[in-house]
Amino acid sequence: MNIFGERLAALRTEKKLPRTKLAEILNVSVRLISYWENGQRECDFNTLIKIADYFCVSCDFLLGRTDY
């Protein structure tokens, strides 16, 4: 798993948010979230920003550039 996938999965789990609900919030498929979490695909910039905003973290954190 890549750092983005690890952090996305950790944030989602921490909020007890199922993939189905996150998919609905981001307007993407559940399968796509699974791909991201398993490092099989990368998300686009606009979706990265939506994820960061939803979880109140920075894009740098999601991408592994910072630890906060």
Side-chain angles (χ1 to χ4, degrees):
M1 198 180 322
N2 62 10
I3 193 75
F4 171 74
E6 289 173 8
R7 291 192 173 176
L8 177 59
L11 288 167
R12 189 178 56 73
T13 302
E14 183 179 297
K15 281 204 169 206
K16 297 183 172 104
L17 187 68
R19 285 181 180 157
T20 53
K21 183 65 178 168
L22 183 58
E24 182 180 309
I25 291 165
L26 298 174
N27 198 29
V28 298
S29 70
V30 175
R31 181 172 289 202
L32 187 55
I33 291 175
S34 177
Y35 287 154
W36 293 338
E37 290 183 354
N38 292 308
Q40 294 173 315
R41 298 231 177 122
E42 296 176 357
C43 75
D44 61 75
F45 294 124
N46 291 331
T47 306
L48 179 67
I49 292 167
K50 285 181 188 178
I51 293 168
D53 288 346
Y54 180 79
F55 288 109
C56 299
V57 297
S58 69
C59 291
D60 283 346
F61 172 78
L62 288 171
L63 297 173
R65 295 185 58 180
T66 63
D67 289 329
Y68 51 89

Short mmCIF file of all heavy atoms in Angstrom, two decimals:
data_model
loop_
_atom_site.label_atom_id
_atom_site.label_comp_id
_atom_site.label_asym_id
_atom_site.label_seq_id
_atom_site.Cartn_x
_atom_site.Cartn_y
_atom_site.Cartn_z
N MET A 1 0.84 -1.18 0.00
CA MET A 1 0.00 0.00 0.00
C MET A 1 0.89 1.25 0.00
O MET A 1 1.93 1.27 0.63
CB MET A 1 -0.89 -0.02 1.24
CG MET A 1 -2.06 0.90 1.11
SD MET A 1 -3.22 0.99 2.51
CE MET A 1 -3.37 -0.62 3.14
N ASN A 2 0.49 2.27 -0.71
CA ASN A 2 1.25 3.50 -0.73
C ASN A 2 0.83 4.40 0.44
O ASN A 2 -0.14 4.14 1.13
CB ASN A 2 1.06 4.23 -2.07
CG ASN A 2 -0.39 4.62 -2.31
OD1 ASN A 2 -1.23 4.53 -1.44
ND2 ASN A 2 -0.66 5.08 -3.50
N ILE A 3 1.58 5.48 0.65
CA ILE A 3 1.31 6.35 1.80
C ILE A 3 -0.09 6.99 1.69
O ILE A 3 -0.79 7.09 2.69
CB ILE A 3 2.42 7.41 1.98
CG1 ILE A 3 2.30 8.10 3.33
CG2 ILE A 3 2.40 8.44 0.88
CD1 ILE A 3 2.76 7.28 4.48
N PHE A 4 -0.48 7.41 0.49
CA PHE A 4 -1.81 8.00 0.32
C PHE A 4 -2.88 6.98 0.71
O PHE A 4 -3.80 7.29 1.47
CB PHE A 4 -2.02 8.49 -1.11
CG PHE A 4 -3.44 8.89 -1.38
CD1 PHE A 4 -3.96 10.07 -0.89
CD2 PHE A 4 -4.28 8.06 -2.13
CE1 PHE A 4 -5.28 10.44 -1.11
CE2 PHE A 4 -5.60 8.42 -2.37
CZ PHE A 4 -6.10 9.62 -1.86
N GLY A 5 -2.76 5.78 0.20
CA GLY A 5 -3.73 4.74 0.50
C GLY A 5 -3.78 4.40 1.98
O GLY A 5 -4.86 4.22 2.55
N GLU A 6 -2.61 4.33 2.60
CA GLU A 6 -2.55 4.03 4.03
C GLU A 6 -3.24 5.11 4.84
O GLU A 6 -4.02 4.83 5.75
CB GLU A 6 -1.10 3.91 4.49
CG GLU A 6 -0.40 2.68 3.98
CD GLU A 6 1.09 2.69 4.33
OE1 GLU A 6 1.53 3.58 5.10
OE2 GLU A 6 1.80 1.80 3.83
N ARG A 7 -2.96 6.36 4.49
CA ARG A 7 -3.53 7.47 5.25
C ARG A 7 -5.03 7.61 5.01
O ARG A 7 -5.78 7.90 5.93
CB ARG A 7 -2.78 8.75 4.96
CG ARG A 7 -1.38 8.66 5.55
CD ARG A 7 -0.64 9.93 5.59
NE ARG A 7 0.60 9.71 6.33
CZ ARG A 7 1.53 10.61 6.49
NH1 ARG A 7 1.39 11.82 5.98
NH2 ARG A 7 2.61 10.34 7.18
N LEU A 8 -5.45 7.40 3.78
CA LEU A 8 -6.88 7.47 3.48
C LEU A 8 -7.63 6.39 4.26
O LEU A 8 -8.65 6.66 4.89
CB LEU A 8 -7.13 7.31 1.98
CG LEU A 8 -8.59 7.30 1.55
CD1 LEU A 8 -9.30 8.59 1.95
CD2 LEU A 8 -8.70 7.06 0.05
N ALA A 9 -7.12 5.18 4.24
CA ALA A 9 -7.75 4.08 4.97
C ALA A 9 -7.77 4.36 6.47
O ALA A 9 -8.78 4.11 7.14
CB ALA A 9 -7.03 2.77 4.67
N ALA A 10 -6.68 4.89 7.00
CA ALA A 10 -6.61 5.19 8.43
C ALA A 10 -7.61 6.28 8.83
O ALA A 10 -8.30 6.15 9.84
CB ALA A 10 -5.19 5.61 8.81
N LEU A 11 -7.70 7.33 8.03
CA LEU A 11 -8.64 8.41 8.32
C LEU A 11 -10.08 7.91 8.24
O LEU A 11 -10.91 8.23 9.08
CB LEU A 11 -8.43 9.57 7.34
CG LEU A 11 -7.17 10.40 7.54
CD1 LEU A 11 -6.94 11.29 6.33
CD2 LEU A 11 -7.25 11.23 8.81
N ARG A 12 -10.35 7.12 7.23
CA ARG A 12 -11.69 6.58 7.04
C ARG A 12 -12.06 5.66 8.21
O ARG A 12 -13.17 5.75 8.76
CB ARG A 12 -11.76 5.82 5.72
CG ARG A 12 -13.15 5.40 5.33
CD ARG A 12 -13.15 4.70 3.99
NE ARG A 12 -12.27 3.54 3.92
CZ ARG A 12 -12.53 2.38 4.52
NH1 ARG A 12 -13.62 2.22 5.23
NH2 ARG A 12 -11.68 1.38 4.41
N THR A 13 -11.15 4.81 8.62
CA THR A 13 -11.38 3.89 9.73
C THR A 13 -11.54 4.65 11.05
O THR A 13 -12.40 4.31 11.86
CB THR A 13 -10.22 2.89 9.84
OG1 THR A 13 -10.10 2.19 8.60
CG2 THR A 13 -10.43 1.89 10.96
N GLU A 14 -10.72 5.67 11.24
CA GLU A 14 -10.78 6.48 12.45
C GLU A 14 -12.16 7.12 12.63
O GLU A 14 -12.67 7.21 13.73
CB GLU A 14 -9.70 7.57 12.39
CG GLU A 14 -9.58 8.44 13.60
CD GLU A 14 -8.47 9.46 13.42
OE1 GLU A 14 -7.30 9.05 13.28
OE2 GLU A 14 -8.79 10.66 13.42
N LYS A 15 -12.75 7.54 11.52
CA LYS A 15 -14.09 8.15 11.57
C LYS A 15 -15.21 7.11 11.48
O LYS A 15 -16.38 7.48 11.42
CB LYS A 15 -14.25 9.14 10.42
CG LYS A 15 -13.59 10.46 10.67
CD LYS A 15 -14.25 11.53 9.84
CE LYS A 15 -13.74 12.87 10.32
NZ LYS A 15 -14.66 13.93 10.05
N LYS A 16 -14.82 5.82 11.44
CA LYS A 16 -15.80 4.72 11.30
C LYS A 16 -16.70 4.96 10.09
O LYS A 16 -17.92 4.81 10.16
CB LYS A 16 -16.61 4.57 12.58
CG LYS A 16 -15.76 4.18 13.77
CD LYS A 16 -16.60 3.97 15.00
CE LYS A 16 -15.75 3.39 16.10
NZ LYS A 16 -15.37 4.29 17.11
N LEU A 17 -16.06 5.34 9.00
CA LEU A 17 -16.76 5.68 7.77
C LEU A 17 -16.59 4.55 6.76
O LEU A 17 -15.48 4.28 6.32
CB LEU A 17 -16.15 6.98 7.22
CG LEU A 17 -16.80 7.64 6.03
CD1 LEU A 17 -18.17 8.18 6.41
CD2 LEU A 17 -15.92 8.78 5.54
N PRO A 18 -17.66 3.87 6.40
CA PRO A 18 -17.53 2.80 5.41
C PRO A 18 -17.20 3.37 4.03
O PRO A 18 -17.48 4.53 3.73
CB PRO A 18 -18.91 2.14 5.41
CG PRO A 18 -19.83 3.07 6.08
CD PRO A 18 -19.02 4.02 6.89
N ARG A 19 -16.60 2.54 3.22
CA ARG A 19 -16.25 2.96 1.86
C ARG A 19 -17.47 3.45 1.10
O ARG A 19 -17.39 4.38 0.31
CB ARG A 19 -15.58 1.83 1.09
CG ARG A 19 -14.17 1.57 1.49
CD ARG A 19 -13.57 0.45 0.68
NE ARG A 19 -12.20 0.20 1.07
CZ ARG A 19 -11.57 -0.93 0.89
NH1 ARG A 19 -12.19 -1.94 0.30
NH2 ARG A 19 -10.33 -1.08 1.27
N THR A 20 -18.60 2.82 1.34
CA THR A 20 -19.82 3.21 0.62
C THR A 20 -20.21 4.65 0.92
O THR A 20 -20.60 5.39 0.01
CB THR A 20 -21.00 2.27 0.97
OG1 THR A 20 -21.15 2.22 2.39
CG2 THR A 20 -20.77 0.89 0.43
N LYS A 21 -20.11 5.05 2.16
CA LYS A 21 -20.47 6.43 2.54
C LYS A 21 -19.46 7.42 1.98
O LYS A 21 -19.84 8.48 1.47
CB LYS A 21 -20.55 6.54 4.07
CG LYS A 21 -20.99 7.89 4.55
CD LYS A 21 -22.40 8.20 4.12
CE LYS A 21 -22.83 9.55 4.68
NZ LYS A 21 -24.07 10.03 4.08
N LEU A 22 -18.16 7.10 2.06
CA LEU A 22 -17.15 8.00 1.51
C LEU A 22 -17.32 8.13 0.00
O LEU A 22 -17.19 9.22 -0.56
CB LEU A 22 -15.74 7.51 1.85
CG LEU A 22 -14.60 8.42 1.39
CD1 LEU A 22 -14.73 9.82 1.98
CD2 LEU A 22 -13.25 7.82 1.76
N ALA A 23 -17.63 7.04 -0.65
CA ALA A 23 -17.87 7.07 -2.09
C ALA A 23 -19.03 8.00 -2.43
O ALA A 23 -18.96 8.78 -3.38
CB ALA A 23 -18.15 5.67 -2.61
N GLU A 24 -20.06 7.95 -1.63
CA GLU A 24 -21.23 8.82 -1.83
C GLU A 24 -20.84 10.29 -1.63
O GLU A 24 -21.23 11.15 -2.41
CB GLU A 24 -22.31 8.41 -0.84
CG GLU A 24 -23.59 9.17 -0.95
CD GLU A 24 -24.59 8.70 0.09
OE1 GLU A 24 -24.82 7.48 0.19
OE2 GLU A 24 -25.12 9.56 0.81
N ILE A 25 -20.07 10.56 -0.59
CA ILE A 25 -19.64 11.93 -0.28
C ILE A 25 -18.79 12.50 -1.41
O ILE A 25 -18.94 13.66 -1.80
CB ILE A 25 -18.86 11.96 1.05
CG1 ILE A 25 -19.81 11.68 2.21
CG2 ILE A 25 -18.13 13.28 1.24
CD1 ILE A 25 -19.13 11.33 3.51
N LEU A 26 -17.88 11.67 -1.95
CA LEU A 26 -16.95 12.13 -2.99
C LEU A 26 -17.51 11.97 -4.40
O LEU A 26 -16.87 12.38 -5.37
CB LEU A 26 -15.63 11.36 -2.88
CG LEU A 26 -14.86 11.53 -1.57
CD1 LEU A 26 -13.65 10.61 -1.55
CD2 LEU A 26 -14.45 12.98 -1.37
N ASN A 27 -18.66 11.32 -4.50
CA ASN A 27 -19.29 11.06 -5.79
C ASN A 27 -18.39 10.22 -6.71
O ASN A 27 -18.16 10.55 -7.88
CB ASN A 27 -19.69 12.37 -6.48
CG ASN A 27 -20.69 12.15 -7.57
OD1 ASN A 27 -21.49 11.22 -7.52
ND2 ASN A 27 -20.65 13.00 -8.58
N VAL A 28 -17.86 9.13 -6.12
CA VAL A 28 -17.04 8.17 -6.86
C VAL A 28 -17.54 6.77 -6.52
O VAL A 28 -18.38 6.61 -5.63
CB VAL A 28 -15.53 8.30 -6.53
CG1 VAL A 28 -14.98 9.68 -6.90
CG2 VAL A 28 -15.26 8.01 -5.06
N SER A 29 -17.00 5.77 -7.16
CA SER A 29 -17.42 4.40 -6.87
C SER A 29 -16.66 3.84 -5.65
O SER A 29 -15.56 4.28 -5.33
CB SER A 29 -17.16 3.49 -8.08
OG SER A 29 -15.78 3.30 -8.26
N VAL A 30 -17.29 2.87 -5.02
CA VAL A 30 -16.66 2.18 -3.90
C VAL A 30 -15.39 1.48 -4.38
O VAL A 30 -14.37 1.47 -3.68
CB VAL A 30 -17.63 1.16 -3.27
CG1 VAL A 30 -16.96 0.35 -2.19
CG2 VAL A 30 -18.86 1.87 -2.74
N ARG A 31 -15.45 0.92 -5.57
CA ARG A 31 -14.29 0.23 -6.14
C ARG A 31 -13.09 1.19 -6.28
O ARG A 31 -11.96 0.82 -6.02
CB ARG A 31 -14.64 -0.38 -7.49
CG ARG A 31 -13.48 -1.13 -8.10
CD ARG A 31 -13.92 -1.87 -9.30
NE ARG A 31 -14.76 -2.97 -8.83
CZ ARG A 31 -15.00 -4.06 -9.50
NH1 ARG A 31 -14.52 -4.22 -10.70
NH2 ARG A 31 -15.75 -5.01 -9.02
N LEU A 32 -13.37 2.44 -6.68
CA LEU A 32 -12.29 3.41 -6.85
C LEU A 32 -11.62 3.72 -5.52
O LEU A 32 -10.39 3.80 -5.44
CB LEU A 32 -12.82 4.69 -7.49
CG LEU A 32 -11.79 5.74 -7.88
CD1 LEU A 32 -10.71 5.17 -8.78
CD2 LEU A 32 -12.48 6.92 -8.57
N ILE A 33 -12.40 3.83 -4.47
CA ILE A 33 -11.81 4.05 -3.14
C ILE A 33 -10.94 2.86 -2.75
O ILE A 33 -9.85 3.02 -2.21
CB ILE A 33 -12.91 4.32 -2.10
CG1 ILE A 33 -13.53 5.69 -2.39
CG2 ILE A 33 -12.35 4.28 -0.68
CD1 ILE A 33 -14.69 6.07 -1.54
N SER A 34 -11.41 1.67 -3.05
CA SER A 34 -10.61 0.48 -2.78
C SER A 34 -9.30 0.51 -3.56
O SER A 34 -8.24 0.19 -3.01
CB SER A 34 -11.42 -0.77 -3.15
OG SER A 34 -10.65 -1.93 -2.96
N TYR A 35 -9.36 0.91 -4.82
CA TYR A 35 -8.14 1.03 -5.63
C TYR A 35 -7.17 2.03 -5.01
O TYR A 35 -5.97 1.79 -4.97
CB TYR A 35 -8.47 1.47 -7.06
CG TYR A 35 -9.10 0.42 -7.93
CD1 TYR A 35 -9.92 0.80 -8.99
CD2 TYR A 35 -8.89 -0.94 -7.74
CE1 TYR A 35 -10.51 -0.14 -9.83
CE2 TYR A 35 -9.48 -1.89 -8.57
CZ TYR A 35 -10.28 -1.48 -9.61
OH TYR A 35 -10.86 -2.42 -10.43
N TRP A 36 -7.69 3.18 -4.57
CA TRP A 36 -6.82 4.17 -3.95
C TRP A 36 -6.16 3.61 -2.69
O TRP A 36 -4.95 3.76 -2.50
CB TRP A 36 -7.61 5.41 -3.54
CG TRP A 36 -8.16 6.23 -4.66
CD1 TRP A 36 -7.74 6.27 -5.96
CD2 TRP A 36 -9.26 7.14 -4.57
NE1 TRP A 36 -8.52 7.15 -6.68
CE2 TRP A 36 -9.45 7.69 -5.85
CE3 TRP A 36 -10.10 7.53 -3.56
CZ2 TRP A 36 -10.43 8.64 -6.11
CZ3 TRP A 36 -11.08 8.47 -3.81
CH2 TRP A 36 -11.24 9.00 -5.08
N GLU A 37 -6.95 2.98 -1.85
CA GLU A 37 -6.42 2.46 -0.59
C GLU A 37 -5.41 1.34 -0.81
O GLU A 37 -4.52 1.16 0.01
CB GLU A 37 -7.57 1.99 0.31
CG GLU A 37 -8.40 3.14 0.85
CD GLU A 37 -9.49 2.71 1.80
OE1 GLU A 37 -9.71 1.48 1.98
OE2 GLU A 37 -10.14 3.60 2.38
N ASN A 38 -5.55 0.62 -1.88
CA ASN A 38 -4.62 -0.47 -2.17
C ASN A 38 -3.47 -0.07 -3.10
O ASN A 38 -2.67 -0.91 -3.50
CB ASN A 38 -5.38 -1.66 -2.77
CG ASN A 38 -6.29 -2.29 -1.75
OD1 ASN A 38 -5.86 -2.64 -0.67
ND2 ASN A 38 -7.57 -2.40 -2.06
N GLY A 39 -3.41 1.22 -3.44
CA GLY A 39 -2.32 1.72 -4.27
C GLY A 39 -2.40 1.32 -5.73
O GLY A 39 -1.41 1.40 -6.44
N GLN A 40 -3.58 0.94 -6.19
CA GLN A 40 -3.72 0.51 -7.58
C GLN A 40 -4.03 1.67 -8.52
O GLN A 40 -3.85 1.54 -9.72
CB GLN A 40 -4.81 -0.55 -7.69
CG GLN A 40 -4.43 -1.83 -6.97
CD GLN A 40 -5.57 -2.82 -6.93
OE1 GLN A 40 -6.71 -2.45 -6.65
NE2 GLN A 40 -5.26 -4.07 -7.23
N ARG A 41 -4.53 2.75 -7.96
CA ARG A 41 -4.84 3.95 -8.75
C ARG A 41 -4.54 5.18 -7.91
O ARG A 41 -4.46 5.11 -6.69
CB ARG A 41 -6.31 3.99 -9.16
CG ARG A 41 -6.72 2.84 -10.03
CD ARG A 41 -7.43 3.31 -11.27
NE ARG A 41 -7.74 2.16 -12.12
CZ ARG A 41 -8.96 1.85 -12.51
NH1 ARG A 41 -9.98 2.57 -12.14
NH2 ARG A 41 -9.14 0.80 -13.29
N GLU A 42 -4.42 6.31 -8.59
CA GLU A 42 -4.23 7.59 -7.91
C GLU A 42 -5.44 8.47 -8.16
O GLU A 42 -6.06 8.40 -9.22
CB GLU A 42 -2.98 8.30 -8.45
CG GLU A 42 -1.70 7.53 -8.18
CD GLU A 42 -0.49 8.19 -8.80
OE1 GLU A 42 -0.64 9.22 -9.49
OE2 GLU A 42 0.62 7.67 -8.59
N CYS A 43 -5.78 9.28 -7.17
CA CYS A 43 -6.93 10.16 -7.36
C CYS A 43 -6.50 11.45 -8.06
O CYS A 43 -5.31 11.80 -8.04
CB CYS A 43 -7.63 10.45 -6.04
SG CYS A 43 -6.81 11.59 -4.95
N ASP A 44 -7.46 12.13 -8.65
CA ASP A 44 -7.16 13.39 -9.32
C ASP A 44 -7.04 14.51 -8.29
O ASP A 44 -7.41 14.35 -7.13
CB ASP A 44 -8.23 13.71 -10.37
CG ASP A 44 -9.60 13.87 -9.76
OD1 ASP A 44 -9.85 14.91 -9.13
OD2 ASP A 44 -10.42 12.95 -9.90
N PHE A 45 -6.51 15.65 -8.73
CA PHE A 45 -6.25 16.76 -7.81
C PHE A 45 -7.51 17.28 -7.13
O PHE A 45 -7.51 17.55 -5.94
CB PHE A 45 -5.54 17.91 -8.53
CG PHE A 45 -4.17 17.56 -9.00
CD1 PHE A 45 -3.83 17.70 -10.33
CD2 PHE A 45 -3.21 17.10 -8.12
CE1 PHE A 45 -2.56 17.37 -10.77
CE2 PHE A 45 -1.93 16.76 -8.54
CZ PHE A 45 -1.61 16.90 -9.88
N ASN A 46 -8.59 17.43 -7.89
CA ASN A 46 -9.83 17.95 -7.30
C ASN A 46 -10.36 17.03 -6.22
O ASN A 46 -10.83 17.49 -5.18
CB ASN A 46 -10.89 18.17 -8.38
CG ASN A 46 -10.54 19.31 -9.30
OD1 ASN A 46 -9.86 20.26 -8.91
ND2 ASN A 46 -10.99 19.23 -10.54
N THR A 47 -10.28 15.74 -6.44
CA THR A 47 -10.75 14.78 -5.45
C THR A 47 -9.82 14.76 -4.24
O THR A 47 -10.27 14.64 -3.10
CB THR A 47 -10.88 13.37 -6.06
OG1 THR A 47 -11.70 13.46 -7.22
CG2 THR A 47 -11.49 12.39 -5.08
N LEU A 48 -8.54 14.92 -4.48
CA LEU A 48 -7.57 14.99 -3.37
C LEU A 48 -7.93 16.15 -2.45
O LEU A 48 -7.93 16.01 -1.22
CB LEU A 48 -6.15 15.16 -3.92
CG LEU A 48 -5.05 15.28 -2.88
CD1 LEU A 48 -4.88 13.98 -2.11
CD2 LEU A 48 -3.74 15.68 -3.55
N ILE A 49 -8.27 17.28 -3.03
CA ILE A 49 -8.67 18.45 -2.23
C ILE A 49 -9.95 18.17 -1.47
O ILE A 49 -10.07 18.53 -0.29
CB ILE A 49 -8.79 19.69 -3.14
CG1 ILE A 49 -7.42 20.09 -3.67
CG2 ILE A 49 -9.46 20.85 -2.40
CD1 ILE A 49 -7.45 21.10 -4.81
N LYS A 50 -10.92 17.52 -2.10
CA LYS A 50 -12.17 17.17 -1.42
C LYS A 50 -11.90 16.26 -0.23
O LYS A 50 -12.49 16.42 0.84
CB LYS A 50 -13.13 16.47 -2.37
CG LYS A 50 -13.79 17.38 -3.37
CD LYS A 50 -14.74 16.55 -4.24
CE LYS A 50 -15.30 17.35 -5.39
NZ LYS A 50 -16.17 16.53 -6.26
N ILE A 51 -11.02 15.29 -0.41
CA ILE A 51 -10.68 14.36 0.67
C ILE A 51 -10.02 15.11 1.82
O ILE A 51 -10.38 14.93 2.99
CB ILE A 51 -9.77 13.22 0.16
CG1 ILE A 51 -10.54 12.34 -0.83
CG2 ILE A 51 -9.22 12.40 1.32
CD1 ILE A 51 -9.66 11.38 -1.61
N ALA A 52 -9.06 15.98 1.49
CA ALA A 52 -8.37 16.76 2.52
C ALA A 52 -9.35 17.64 3.29
O ALA A 52 -9.30 17.71 4.52
CB ALA A 52 -7.27 17.61 1.88
N ASP A 53 -10.24 18.29 2.57
CA ASP A 53 -11.24 19.15 3.22
C ASP A 53 -12.17 18.34 4.11
O ASP A 53 -12.47 18.73 5.24
CB ASP A 53 -12.06 19.91 2.18
CG ASP A 53 -11.28 21.02 1.49
OD1 ASP A 53 -10.19 21.40 1.98
OD2 ASP A 53 -11.77 21.51 0.46
N TYR A 54 -12.63 17.21 3.62
CA TYR A 54 -13.56 16.39 4.40
C TYR A 54 -12.92 15.92 5.72
O TYR A 54 -13.55 15.96 6.77
CB TYR A 54 -14.04 15.18 3.60
CG TYR A 54 -14.99 14.35 4.40
CD1 TYR A 54 -16.33 14.74 4.53
CD2 TYR A 54 -14.57 13.20 5.06
CE1 TYR A 54 -17.21 14.00 5.30
CE2 TYR A 54 -15.45 12.46 5.83
CZ TYR A 54 -16.76 12.86 5.95
OH TYR A 54 -17.62 12.13 6.72
N PHE A 55 -11.68 15.46 5.66
CA PHE A 55 -11.02 14.94 6.85
C PHE A 55 -10.25 16.00 7.63
O PHE A 55 -9.60 15.69 8.64
CB PHE A 55 -10.07 13.79 6.47
CG PHE A 55 -10.80 12.53 6.08
CD1 PHE A 55 -10.80 12.11 4.76
CD2 PHE A 55 -11.47 11.77 7.01
CE1 PHE A 55 -11.46 10.95 4.38
CE2 PHE A 55 -12.14 10.61 6.65
CZ PHE A 55 -12.14 10.20 5.34
N CYS A 56 -10.30 17.27 7.16
CA CYS A 56 -9.61 18.39 7.83
C CYS A 56 -8.11 18.13 7.98
O CYS A 56 -7.52 18.31 9.06
CB CYS A 56 -10.24 18.69 9.20
SG CYS A 56 -11.96 19.18 9.09
N VAL A 57 -7.51 17.67 6.91
CA VAL A 57 -6.07 17.47 6.85
C VAL A 57 -5.55 18.17 5.59
O VAL A 57 -6.33 18.58 4.73
CB VAL A 57 -5.67 15.97 6.81
CG1 VAL A 57 -6.11 15.27 8.08
CG2 VAL A 57 -6.26 15.27 5.59
N SER A 58 -4.25 18.29 5.47
CA SER A 58 -3.67 18.93 4.29
C SER A 58 -3.43 17.89 3.19
O SER A 58 -3.31 16.69 3.47
CB SER A 58 -2.35 19.62 4.64
OG SER A 58 -1.36 18.65 4.93
N CYS A 59 -3.35 18.38 1.99
CA CYS A 59 -2.99 17.50 0.87
C CYS A 59 -1.58 16.95 1.09
O CYS A 59 -1.31 15.80 0.76
CB CYS A 59 -3.06 18.26 -0.46
SG CYS A 59 -4.75 18.69 -0.95
N ASP A 60 -0.70 17.77 1.66
CA ASP A 60 0.65 17.31 1.96
C ASP A 60 0.64 16.11 2.91
O ASP A 60 1.41 15.18 2.75
CB ASP A 60 1.50 18.43 2.56
CG ASP A 60 1.99 19.42 1.52
OD1 ASP A 60 1.91 19.11 0.32
OD2 ASP A 60 2.45 20.51 1.92
N PHE A 61 -0.25 16.14 3.89
CA PHE A 61 -0.37 15.00 4.80
C PHE A 61 -0.81 13.76 4.04
O PHE A 61 -0.21 12.68 4.19
CB PHE A 61 -1.36 15.30 5.92
CG PHE A 61 -1.66 14.09 6.77
CD1 PHE A 61 -0.76 13.66 7.73
CD2 PHE A 61 -2.82 13.38 6.61
CE1 PHE A 61 -1.01 12.52 8.49
CE2 PHE A 61 -3.10 12.25 7.36
CZ PHE A 61 -2.19 11.82 8.31
N LEU A 62 -1.83 13.90 3.21
CA LEU A 62 -2.34 12.75 2.46
C LEU A 62 -1.28 12.16 1.53
O LEU A 62 -1.23 10.95 1.32
CB LEU A 62 -3.57 13.15 1.63
CG LEU A 62 -4.85 13.40 2.43
CD1 LEU A 62 -5.91 13.99 1.53
CD2 LEU A 62 -5.34 12.10 3.06
N LEU A 63 -0.42 13.02 1.00
CA LEU A 63 0.60 12.57 0.05
C LEU A 63 1.90 12.15 0.74
O LEU A 63 2.84 11.73 0.08
CB LEU A 63 0.89 13.67 -0.96
CG LEU A 63 -0.29 14.04 -1.85
CD1 LEU A 63 0.06 15.26 -2.71
CD2 LEU A 63 -0.72 12.87 -2.72
N GLY A 64 1.95 12.26 2.08
CA GLY A 64 3.13 11.82 2.82
C GLY A 64 4.24 12.84 2.91
O GLY A 64 5.34 12.51 3.30
N ARG A 65 3.94 14.09 2.57
CA ARG A 65 4.97 15.13 2.63
C ARG A 65 5.13 15.69 4.04
O ARG A 65 6.18 16.23 4.36
CB ARG A 65 4.64 16.24 1.66
CG ARG A 65 4.69 15.76 0.21
CD ARG A 65 4.49 16.88 -0.74
NE ARG A 65 5.52 17.87 -0.48
CZ ARG A 65 5.65 19.00 -1.14
NH1 ARG A 65 4.82 19.31 -2.09
NH2 ARG A 65 6.61 19.85 -0.85
N THR A 66 4.09 15.57 4.87
CA THR A 66 4.15 15.98 6.27
C THR A 66 3.47 14.91 7.11
O THR A 66 2.74 14.07 6.59
CB THR A 66 3.43 17.33 6.53
OG1 THR A 66 2.05 17.18 6.24
CG2 THR A 66 4.02 18.46 5.71
N ASP A 67 3.73 14.95 8.40
CA ASP A 67 3.13 13.98 9.31
C ASP A 67 2.02 14.57 10.16
O ASP A 67 1.62 14.00 11.16
CB ASP A 67 4.19 13.38 10.23
CG ASP A 67 5.12 12.45 9.46
OD1 ASP A 67 4.65 11.83 8.48
OD2 ASP A 67 6.30 12.35 9.83
N TYR A 68 1.50 15.72 9.76
CA TYR A 68 0.40 16.35 10.52
C TYR A 68 -0.59 16.96 9.58
O TYR A 68 -0.37 17.11 8.42
CB TYR A 68 0.95 17.40 11.49
CG TYR A 68 1.88 18.39 10.85
CD1 TYR A 68 1.37 19.56 10.28
CD2 TYR A 68 3.24 18.16 10.79
CE1 TYR A 68 2.22 20.46 9.66
CE2 TYR A 68 4.09 19.06 10.18
CZ TYR A 68 3.58 20.22 9.62
OH TYR A 68 4.41 21.12 9.02
#
